Amino acid sequence: MPSIFTHELDTPVYKGTVSVNTGLFINGQFVDGSNNTTIDVVNPTNGKVITSVSEGTPQDVDLAVDAAQRAFETTYGLNCPGSQRSILLGKLASLMGEHADELAAIEALDNGKAFNIARNADVTLSIDCMRYFAGWADKLSGKVLETTENKLTYTRHEPIGVVGQIIPWNFPLLMFSWKIGPALATGNTIILKTSEFTPLSALRMCQLIQEAGFPPGVVNVVTGYGNTVGNAITTHMKIHKVAFTGSTLVGRKVMEAAAKSNLKNVTLELGGKSPNIIYDDADLDQALNWASFGLFLNHGQCCCAGTRIFVQEGIYDEFLKRFIEKSKEVKVGDPFVPDTFQGPQVSEIQYNRIMGYIDSGKKDGATLHIGGERHGNEGYFIQPTVFSNTKPDMRIVQEEIFGPVGVVIKFKDEDDVLRQANNTVYGLAAAVFTKDINRALTTAHKLKSGTVWINCYNQFDSHVPFGGYKQSGIGREQGQYALDNYTEVKAVHVNLGLKM
């Protein structure tokens, strides 16, 4: 039988116990993987193993799919009214609220993000997500369509059935919530794969899902690797929809596998290289604050991070000078220290990847103003890093680094910055800073991105859609738009008097 990971914490921000069942969660029970193998979970703050979790296999995915199919056909889906689905999601949200501090501590321990940020952002937004979709569960409706008096025609929005979901390691709890919220509200049953780096919060959520009263098999979590569990989900003939959040490279593989199997419906939330545009009439103090927040939040491990900071030439020198000083103020360190903002990168692999990009920026001739080195002597910490004097074809300008590394680029006017900002294969997010609302809206409307923030950055709401243009993805998460990802539309024609 799988073990229970229990860890006592006595820190300035959290004093208590975290407790997580380390098994796979299939058919409402925690079980060992088919091969009885495990995956080590590493604390990125010090590089030490904190526990091990069961390793899932394609055989475990088969078992989970069978359980999910049974649940869909008997206890969930159209057999569970929207009002009851709403109650279940509401109970889950309440339980998350009761365990909010523990969930934040798990994120800090497992992912390395600052506890206070995890508590006030990740956990709070996750609870809000559950409550939002609980509100939708009993409000899904089709339409009666007028045709002739001899026929009644209407549509039904029905759940797809068994859906597969694959989440990343940068926001484990939040991405878990973004995925299961709309899927459960619309009546689907789920096979979800966590990242092998950060499985603990999803497994803790499975215990809360049990406690909330969801029928066995409605939510199944199979921890494992992408080339085994992930591939099994994307190719499984009984899974008819897959939602993936991660890199564009892997997103292509997911889409290809889904197409080659049973032509699954696919939702992809992928990478970004987001432009943050600061015009010379912007409130400079606010622009500096938001630019730092947009770049360094979550250690730069945000798909929508504002890593390309475009500054108009009239304020460029002043902005760069002050932004360097602002970057020096970013507190890097232990996630359980109250004023920590930037923790470690999630893994040694990610640490080495980011350092490789920093080296490429140096070799390509960009000017390094701050950072570029390891922080401390243990764990996977990287100093906040800022480059300037870049060229458009440099890797640090074009490729997603996914770390605390940004470039500051000068621009002349609106046409110049739009040309540079849109010169990317990505289109996830962008920001505009100016006091001129006409300029702000004109620029926002011309940017090729799924989200544009004006005079702010990294602002999220459960009722507002999130997703990207171009190679940043397909479909939208959050808001009413997310419901479309998990429903099929059926047209029904009822003969009231048509004669042959």
Side-chain angles (χ1 to χ4, degrees), residues 9 38 85 95 120 129 143 226 265 311 316 327 342 364 410 492 496:
L9 286 166
T38 59
R85 299 198 300 270
L95 287 168
N120 296 320
C129 174
K143 297 179 180 179
N265 182 325
V311 184
Y316 176 84
S327 301
Q342 180 185 317
D364 289 344
K410 185 186 297 185
V492 180
L496 300 179

Side-chain angles (χ1 to χ4, degrees), residues 210-228:
Q210 278 182 319
E211 191 173 342
F214 281 89
V218 172
V219 177
N220 304 272
V221 172
V222 182
T223 55
Y225 297 102
N227 62 352
T228 54

